[in-house]
């Protein structure tokens, strides 16, 4: 067993505090990763605050993990000590159901083991995430990181990157297409970078006029402030694909109406309250409304390799773990450019100070 330091919340209302726990002893196929950086996903906020009503405590969030392999089990073949590695939103699954076999382990029919706020395959032992010093993961659920530098900016790819890459690939977004990205946050800004890299003409729909310059710097061709309804209505029927990353309730019909013939909108943001969709919003132009959940291991590795080859990473604000409360508050106010990433060295520094 490995004694591990982390930061946890004890309830939906409590503040983060230092928390010590044990990681399992290294199995034959396990790697021990010393966590260097962990991104702060809006899902961490939803779950820490029990927005979706399925939270268990104490909770150590974090599923955008990049670190260095410290030790490997006897039968590990993919990794060696010293390698950089990543861990995303899940750390195990049954491996035998048809979904796992197809590489959609995130939807495992038997038991998907999410990185935190879940249980191991025994369905009893709680999982703890990346706001911590180290993690033990089966090598089959560990991703290879080819980048050697700027690793903090790679961490958000493990969730924000794959969650936006997967639907863009599934709907074959390509050069010459008009793509909308709704919400310029952690997911949204990755969606912009990836869609631009695939050759699309990208429009950002944002509630924050101050983000226009950034959006253009990320490669977006157009920027629409969603607080002005008239600017949206004029775009009716002009988009091939729209990616909706908004974390709070909003009217989906507004964006569905922007889709042209056979256009598709994919929802990845997870507001607490259900959305109302008018049948007309879907019937006109034979529109498609779909959802998308992260991505499987194979596709996540494909996305990491794609980002490495296209020199794509996240725009980040690095914070010490002690600033996590502030990072949550700012993310909730859409005041993050564009992903907070925790420098996990701050964890050991804090512990040294406190003895
Ligand atoms: P984030 O960084 O907070 O970005 C969300 C963005 O939504 C904000 O930056 C803001 O962009 C916009 N927004 C916020 N409140 C809004 C409101 N009331 N009305 C309209 N727009 C608003 O969050 P994130 O980490 O990207 O995550 C986004 C959502 O995706 C969360 O709900 C998260 O749980 C979910 N998620 C889903 C998956 C999946 O597999 N499907 C994976 C990861 C995360 P502007 O300032 O540009 O308006
Ligand atoms: Zn996430």
């Amino acid at each position: 067993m490995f004694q591990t330091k982390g930061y946890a919340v004890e309830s939906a209302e409590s503040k983060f505090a230092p928390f010590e726990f044990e990681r399992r002893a290294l199995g034959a196929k396990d790697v021990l990763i010393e966590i260097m950086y962990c991104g702060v996903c809006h899902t961490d906020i939803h779950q820490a605050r029990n927005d979706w009503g399925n939270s268990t405590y104490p909770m150590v969030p974090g599923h955008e993990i990049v670190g260095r392999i410290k030790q490997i089990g006897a039968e590990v073949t993919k990794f060696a000590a010293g390698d950089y590695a990543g861990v995303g939103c899940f750390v195990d699954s049954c491996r035998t159901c048809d979904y796992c076999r197809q590489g959609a382990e995130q939807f495992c029919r038997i038991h998907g083991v999410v990185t935190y706020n879940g249980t191991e395959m025994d369905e009893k032992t709680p999982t703890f995430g990346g706001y911590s010093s180290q993690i033990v993961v089966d090598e089959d659920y560990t991703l290879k990181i080819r980048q050697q530098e700027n690793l903090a900016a790679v961490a958000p790819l493990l969730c924000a990157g794959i969650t936006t890459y997967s639907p863009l690939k599934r709907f074959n977004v390509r050069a010459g297409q008009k793509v909308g990205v709704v919400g310029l946050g952690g997911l949204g800004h990755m969606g912009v970078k990836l869609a631009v890299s695939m050759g699309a003409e990208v429009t950002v729909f944002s509630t924050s006029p101050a983000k226009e310059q950034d959006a253009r710097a990320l490669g977006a061709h157009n920027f629409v402030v969603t607080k002005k309804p008239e600017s949206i209505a004029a775009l009716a029927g002009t988009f091939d694909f729209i990616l909706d990353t908004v974390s709070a309730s909003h009217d989906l019909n507004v964006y569905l109406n922007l889709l042209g013939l056979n256009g598709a909108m994919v929802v990845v943001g997870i507001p607490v309250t259900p959305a109302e969709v008018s049948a007309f919003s879907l019937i006109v132009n034979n529109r498609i409304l779909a959802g998308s959940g992260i991505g499987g291991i194979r596709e996540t590795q494909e996305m990491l390799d794609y980002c490495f080859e296209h020199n794509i990473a996240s725009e980040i604000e690095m914070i010490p773990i002690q600033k996590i409360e502030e990072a949550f508050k700012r993310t909730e106010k859409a005041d993050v450019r564009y992903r907070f990433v925790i420098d996990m060295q701050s964890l050991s520094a804090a512990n040294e100070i406190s003895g």
Side-chain angles (χ1 to χ4, degrees), residues 42-43 46 184 186-187 206-208 211 245 268 270 292 294 339:
H42 206 117
T43 294
H46 289 308
L184 195 65
L187 266 56
S206 174
T207 59
S208 310
K211 291 180 181 173
T245 75
V268 289
I270 318 175
S292 191
I294 45 174
R339 194 56 133 195

Side-chain angles (χ1 to χ4, degrees), residues 40-44 63-64 89 116 158-160 163 187 294 339:
V40 178
C41 179
H42 206 117
T43 294
D44 299 348
H63 58 207
E64 293 184 338
C89 300
Y116 69 87
L158 275 305
C159 175
T163 302
L187 266 56
I294 45 174
R339 194 56 133 195

Side-chain angles (χ1 to χ4, degrees), residues 7-8 34 45 73 111 129 138 174 260 290 292 294 310 317-318 336 343 346 348 351 353:
Y7 260 51
E34 198 166 40
I45 302 177
H111 183 64
D138 187 298
R174 57 196 179 274
S292 191
I294 45 174
H310 291 78
E317 275 191 53
M318 191 104 85
V336 49
D343 179 355
S346 59
S348 51
N351 288 321
I353 292 163

Side-chain angles (χ1 to χ4, degrees), residues 40-311:
V40 178
C41 179
H42 206 117
T43 294
D44 299 348
I45 302 177
H46 289 308
Q47 303 221 76
R49 304 298 181 230
N50 199 18
D51 281 353
W52 301 329
N54 67 344
S55 295
T56 53
Y57 302 94
M59 183 191 298
V60 177
H63 58 207
E64 293 184 338
I65 300 168
V66 164
R68 199 162 209 166
I69 307 253
K70 208 169 159 187
Q71 249 177 274
I72 59 169
E75 289 166 23
V76 167
T77 57
K78 266 171 64 186
F79 294 95
D83 287 353
Y84 293 125
V87 179
C89 300
F90 58 96
V91 288
D92 211 345
S93 67
C94 83
R95 302 156 196 246
T96 53
C97 75
D98 51 342
Y99 290 0
C100 282
R101 283 169 181 273
Q102 281 174 58
E105 303 93 341
Q106 75 272 33
F107 302 124
C108 174
R109 288 181 189 271
I110 309 295
H111 183 64
V113 180
V114 288
T115 306
Y116 69 87
N117 195 33
T119 54
E120 298 283 2
M121 287 311 288
D122 64 6
E123 299 191 24
K124 284 198 305 255
T125 313
T127 54
F128 295 116
Y131 296 7
S132 60
S133 55
Q134 56 192 357
I135 188 165
V136 176
V137 184
D138 187 298
E139 68 165 339
D140 293 342
Y141 294 78
T142 305
L143 287 309
K144 280 188 179 287
I145 304 287
R146 287 160 69 191
Q147 285 90 339
Q148 295 293 310
E149 45 201 42
N150 205 14
L151 288 162
V154 173
L157 300 182
L158 275 305
C159 175
I162 183 59
T163 302
T164 49
Y165 177 88
S166 182
L168 290 168
K169 292 297 274 189
R170 177 171 143 214
F171 286 90
N172 190 23
V173 166
R174 57 196 179 274
Q177 286 196 318
K178 289 202 162 90
V179 168
V181 175
V182 189
L184 195 65
L187 266 56
H189 95 291
M190 288 311 309
V192 171
K193 285 192 183 205
L194 289 164
V196 167
S197 78
M198 293 167 188
E201 182 187 316
V202 177
T203 300
V204 169
F205 293 92
S206 174
T207 59
S208 310
K211 291 180 181 173
E212 175 161 6
Q213 217 184 336
D214 290 347
R216 293 190 189 277
L218 295 168
H221 305 82
N222 310 297
F223 186 87
V224 176
V225 179
T226 51
K227 281 173 183 156
K228 289 189 210 147
E230 64 282 4
S231 55
I232 298 180
L235 299 169
T238 61
F239 283 85
D240 298 294
F241 181 84
I242 295 177
L243 187 65
D244 185 336
T245 75
V246 175
S247 53
S249 298
H250 59 291
D251 187 356
L252 298 188
N253 302 286
V254 168
Y255 300 103
L256 282 168
N257 288 329
L258 304 188
L259 293 172
L261 190 62
N262 299 321
M265 174 156 124
V266 172
V267 170
V268 289
I270 318 175
V272 177
T273 43
E276 270 187 27
V277 173
S278 152
F280 282 112
S281 304
L282 294 173
I283 288 167
V284 172
N285 290 350
N286 290 351
R287 294 170 178 134
I288 299 163
L289 174 62
S292 191
I294 45 174
I297 291 293
R298 211 182 303 145
E299 194 176 34
T300 304
Q301 189 64 60
E302 177 189 306
M303 175 277 310
L304 286 167
D305 295 344
Y306 178 92
C307 288
F308 177 68
E309 277 145 28
H310 291 78
N311 200 19

